[in-house]
Amino acid sequence: MNEKRRTLLKAMGGSTALAGLAGCISTGGSGGDGSDGSDGGDAGGTATLWTDLSDGEDEAMSAYIDEYESESGDTIDKNEPGGELDQQLETAIPSGEGPDSWIWAHDWIGRFAVREEPPFLYDASDDVDASLDVFTETAQEAVQFDGALHGLPFASETVALFYNEDMVDEPPETLDDMISTMDEFHNPENGEYGLSYPVTNPYFVSGFIQAYGGDIFDTESLENDLDSEACKRGMDALERVSDYVPADPGYESQIVAFADGAAPFAINGPWEIANLSEEIENLGVTTLPTIDGNNPRTYSGIQTFYFSAMLSDADQSTVDAATGLAEWYTTNEEIIQTNAEEQGYIPVLSSVVEEGDLSEDVRAFAQQVDHGVPIPTHPNMNAVWTPLTEALTRVFNGNQESGPALDQAASEIRENQ
C-alpha cells in the first residue's frame, strides 16, 4: 500500500448481521462447486477489476488471475485507473463506467454502502457459495454492512517496525530504546536519518495517537476523541519520533530513505516486505515499541475484493466472474499461504491462521494487529481523515502546537459529520 492504503477493521455495532449470513451464504448464481469458479463448462463471463497495488503485489495478482482464467474460462480485465482510487470510483460508478470489482481495505464499505443515488455496492449474498465461517470473525464482520455482503476478505494489514539488521543489533522494545538508536544515525546534513515514517498520514500514525487509550473515532459514541488528554499524550509521543524523519513527510520520500540504507528504521506495512527485501539484505520486522508500557494501537485493515454496484445491471455471467474470482482467491489455502510467505499478507482464512507455517515477519505483523484497532467502517469515519491529516501537517511543519491542532481537528470533524 503504497501510501494510500490504510488502508487502512471492524464493522460497527448494529451494522452487521452475522447470524443471517455467516454459515449460510449460498444459493448463488455463481455455479460450479466453488473450487474453481467455473460454471460447468458453459462459456465464461468477463468482469473488470480495479487495483492499486505495489509492484510485488501486482505481479502476484496478475499471475493468480491468469491461473483463475485458465481454470474457470472467465476473463478478468484487471487495470489500474491511476490517481486516488476512491476518487476514480466516485466519478466512474455514477457514469456507469466503474469496475465490477476492486481491491481495497474494508474501511470503505460503510461509506459506500449508504450511497443510494446511485448505489456503489452490490449485495452478493445470493451469489457466493462459500460460508463466511471459513474466515476469522473480524474479517467476516468487515465485509458486511446492514446484513448485506459487499465483498470477500483475503488479508489483514497494519503498520509495524522494519529495521535494518546491519545497522541495528537488537530491535527496540521501548520508545526510549528506539530513540537512543535513532540518535546514533540521524544526520540530515549528510542525508542520514533515524527513521522512515509518513508522519502526516493518520493511518500510519494511529498507533501513537491511540497508545494511551484514546480513540481517533469511538465506535460506541460515533464521536472522535482527538481532543482528549489521552490522544494528546499520544501526539506528544509521535512528535518525539517525527524529529527523526526526512523533511518531506510524503510516502515515497520516506520509504526511499530506508530502502537506500539511509535510516535504521521504517514504520510501514506488510505490502512493502517484497520490495524492501530486494533492497535490504538483512531485513527485520517487529512490533512497534511500547510507549510508557503501552502497545501502540495501530489501525488495521482487511484487504477485500469489493463487489461493485455495476453488477446490479450486469449479465449473470459477469456477476459469476467477479464473485467467482473473489471466492476462488480468498478461500484458496495455497494462495493465502504463498501470499503470507512472499507478500507478507496476514491471513484471515482460518485454516491458514490456525495451521499455516507463517514467517517471523508475518507473525510480527499479526502480533501488531492483535495490539491494534480495526478501522471503523461507520460512514462518519470518513469525516475524520482530512481534518486529522491537515492537523498532522500543521504540527509537522511547525505551524501549530499539537494540542490546539487536535482541538481544531476534533471541532472540524464534528461540524462535518
Side-chain angles (χ1 to χ4, degrees):
M1 164 168 221
N2 47 50
E3 171 182 11
K4 297 186 292 294
R5 282 251 192 107
R6 303 52 128 197
T7 135
L8 40 235
L9 298 121
K10 176 182 183 181
M12 302 297 301
S15 66
T16 59
L18 291 179
L21 283 177
C24 59
I25 299 284
S26 59
T27 72
S30 58
D33 61 6
S35 64
D36 63 4
S38 67
D39 61 2
D42 294 339
T46 298
T48 58
L49 174 70
W50 282 8
T51 63
D52 183 12
L53 304 170
S54 69
D55 291 344
E57 292 174 309
D58 187 71
E59 183 178 351
M61 181 61 68
S62 295
Y64 286 129
I65 287 175
D66 288 344
E67 183 178 346
Y68 172 75
E69 290 177 328
S70 177
E71 292 185 11
S72 68
D74 292 332
T75 299
I76 304 299
D77 181 14
K78 181 181 78 69
N79 55 69
E80 301 177 30
E84 298 287 343
L85 183 56
D86 59 339
Q87 294 176 11
Q88 296 292 332
L89 293 168
E90 292 279 3
T91 301
I93 291 178
S95 69
E97 298 178 352
D100 299 307
S101 179
W102 69 84
I103 293 174
W104 198 262
H106 78 285
D107 53 297
W108 289 353
I109 283 183
R111 163 187 171 185
F112 283 147
V114 298
R115 302 286 292 272
E116 296 180 351
E117 296 181 1
F120 271 58
L121 296 178
Y122 174 77
D123 181 3
S125 301
D126 293 331
D127 301 286
V128 171
D129 292 327
S131 167
L132 292 188
D133 287 340
V134 300
F135 304 110
T136 63
E137 183 175 351
T138 298
Q140 294 177 38
E141 295 177 352
V143 296
Q144 299 175 82
F145 193 90
D146 281 345
L149 179 67
H150 292 308
L152 287 177
F154 63 90
S156 179
E157 64 182 15
T158 192
V159 298
L161 185 67
F162 288 90
Y163 61 100
N164 189 326
E165 295 179 350
D166 292 331
M167 304 171 74
V168 180
D169 292 333
E170 295 289 339
E173 295 184 1
T174 69
L175 182 60
D176 287 340
D177 292 339
M178 181 176 167
I179 289 175
S180 177
T181 299
M182 291 192 296
D183 279 331
E184 297 178 19
F185 292 94
H186 192 63
N187 189 347
E189 293 182 357
N190 290 337
E192 300 171 352
Y193 305 94
L195 175 65
S196 156
Y197 191 20
V199 292
T200 60
N201 185 304
Y203 174 84
F204 283 83
V205 305
S206 56
F208 282 87
I209 294 177
Q210 299 181 129
Y212 290 93
D215 291 305
I216 291 175
F217 183 85
D218 188 321
T219 57
E220 296 296 328
S221 67
L222 303 184
E223 279 276 357
N224 81 86
D225 199 24
L226 290 172
D227 50 0
S228 67
E229 287 305 311
C231 285
K232 290 179 179 179
R233 289 185 68 189
M235 188 70 177
D236 289 341
L238 174 63
E239 283 197 90
R240 292 182 66 191
V241 301
S242 296
D243 291 338
Y244 294 91
V245 306
D248 180 354
Y251 186 92
E252 293 300 331
S253 297
Q254 292 296 319
I255 197 63
V256 164
F258 181 70
D260 288 348
F265 298 119
I267 296 177
N268 217 298
W271 53 86
E272 286 291 358
I273 288 180
N275 294 331
L276 291 175
S277 295
E278 294 180 357
E279 302 294 333
I280 298 175
E281 183 175 357
N282 296 306
L283 180 68
V285 183
T286 187
T287 55
L288 294 180
T290 59
I291 304 172
D292 289 337
N294 302 307
N295 288 301
R297 298 168 59 235
T298 53
Y299 271 150
S300 59
I302 303 295
Q303 283 299 299
T304 298
F305 279 86
Y306 280 74
F307 300 136
S308 166
M310 296 294 98
L311 295 175
S312 297
D313 298 320
D315 292 339
Q316 187 61 46
S317 62
T318 295
V319 176
D320 294 347
T323 58
L325 169 66
E327 185 172 350
W328 174 84
Y329 184 99
T330 62
T331 62
N332 188 311
E333 291 184 354
E334 182 177 353
I335 290 176
I336 301 305
Q337 180 72 46
T338 301
N339 281 342
E341 295 171 356
E342 298 182 357
Q343 305 298 333
Y345 285 2
I346 305 164
V348 296
L349 186 61
S350 295
S351 58
V352 178
V353 172
E354 296 166 0
E355 302 173 9
D357 183 16
L358 303 180
S359 70
E360 292 184 7
D361 291 349
V362 172
R363 292 191 182 280
F365 276 106
Q367 288 177 333
Q368 187 60 53
V369 168
D370 288 341
H371 295 325
V373 181
I375 298 176
T377 58
H378 193 279
N380 284 2
M381 183 65 194
N382 192 47
V384 171
W385 301 112
T386 296
L388 181 52
T389 299
E390 293 174 348
L392 293 168
T393 301
R394 291 193 300 271
V395 173
F396 181 76
N397 290 334
N399 296 328
Q400 193 174 23
E401 295 295 322
S402 61
L406 291 185
D407 289 339
Q408 180 179 332
S411 177
E412 292 172 352
I413 292 166
R414 291 178 185 128
E415 291 175 359
N416 294 331
Q417 286 179 343

